[in-house]
Amino acid sequence: MKSRKDDQRTRMTRKLLQKALVDLMGEKPLKDITVKALCQQAEVNRSTFYLHYYDIYDLMEELEGQIGAELTAVLEEMPFTLGDQNTFSAYYTAIFALLARHADLCTILLGEHGDKVFVSKLFDMGREKCVTEWMRLYPDAGRKRVEMYYVFVSSGCVGLLQNWFDGGCKEPPEAVARQVERLVATSITTLE
C-alpha cells in the first residue's frame, strides 16, 4: 500500500511534468518535444518520466482528460435554459471560470501549437445540450439550421477565448459570459 508521502510525491512529479509540457508547448509543437527536453525542463530524470507516462502523448492525453472531465462535470451539473438569462449566464460563467483555471494550457491548446482536435472535442461536448435547447425554443428552425448556428456560435467562442487568453484573462469570467450572452441573444434571431 502506498503511503501518503508517496502519493504526494507522485502528484508533485506529475504536476512538474505537466507544467514543463505546457511551458515547452508555448515554444514548439507537441510533435517536436522530446522526453529528454521535457525531463530537463521539469528537472526529473527520464526513468521517473517513464514511471508515470508511456510517452509525451500519454502526458498530453492526461492533461486534456483532466480538462475534459472538469468540463463534463460543469455541463452535467449546471442548469441550462437558453430562455432564462440567469441560468444561461451562470452556465457560461462556470465554463469560462474553469477554462481560466487552466489558462496556461488553454492558451497553448487554442494557439499556434495547439491541438485543434481537442478544441473540437470540447465544443462537441456541449453541442447536444445546446442544439436540444435551441430546438425546443425554435422548433420551426429545423435541426440542420440549429446545428449550423451551433457551429457559428462555438467558432465565435473559440475566437473570443483566444483573444481572452492572449490578453491574459484580465476580464473576469462573468464579463466574458455576459459578452457571449449578448452575442448569442443578438444572433439567435436567425433561428426565428
Side-chain angles (χ1 to χ4, degrees), residues 55-89:
D55 59 16
I56 298 279
Y57 296 96
D58 186 28
L59 171 55
M60 187 65 198
E61 282 181 31
E62 180 179 79
L63 281 169
E64 291 176 346
Q66 289 171 358
I67 292 175
E70 288 181 47
L71 183 58
T72 297
V74 168
L75 294 173
E76 290 174 355
E77 292 170 12
M78 291 296 297
F80 180 63
T81 307
L82 286 168
D84 177 353
Q85 298 300 27
N86 292 327
T87 63
F88 181 85
S89 187

Side-chain angles (χ1 to χ4, degrees), residues 116-135:
K116 304 303 180 210
V117 173
F118 177 69
V119 173
S120 178
K121 283 182 197 176
L122 286 181
F123 281 98
D124 282 347
M125 293 172 81
R127 178 186 301 270
E128 194 54 40
K129 196 167 193 173
C130 289
V131 168
T132 299
E133 186 64 16
W134 286 327
M135 292 280 300

Side-chain angles (χ1 to χ4, degrees), residues 103-155:
D104 289 349
L105 181 58
C106 289
T107 300
I108 300 300
L109 291 173
L110 292 171
E112 178 184 357
H113 304 301
D115 183 349
K116 304 303 180 210
V117 173
F118 177 69
V119 173
S120 178
K121 283 182 197 176
L122 286 181
F123 281 98
D124 282 347
M125 293 172 81
R127 178 186 301 270
E128 194 54 40
K129 196 167 193 173
C130 289
V131 168
T132 299
E133 186 64 16
W134 286 327
M135 292 280 300
R136 183 185 68 74
L137 291 171
Y138 301 97
D140 295 336
R143 186 163 186 93
K144 179 83 173 152
R145 273 182 57 208
V146 170
E147 285 181 351
M148 287 173 60
Y149 181 69
Y150 180 81
V151 169
F152 172 78
V153 169
S154 62
S155 296

Side-chain angles (χ1 to χ4, degrees), residues 40 42 69 98 139 141 148 165 167:
Q40 285 175 340
L98 162 67
M148 287 173 60
F165 289 126

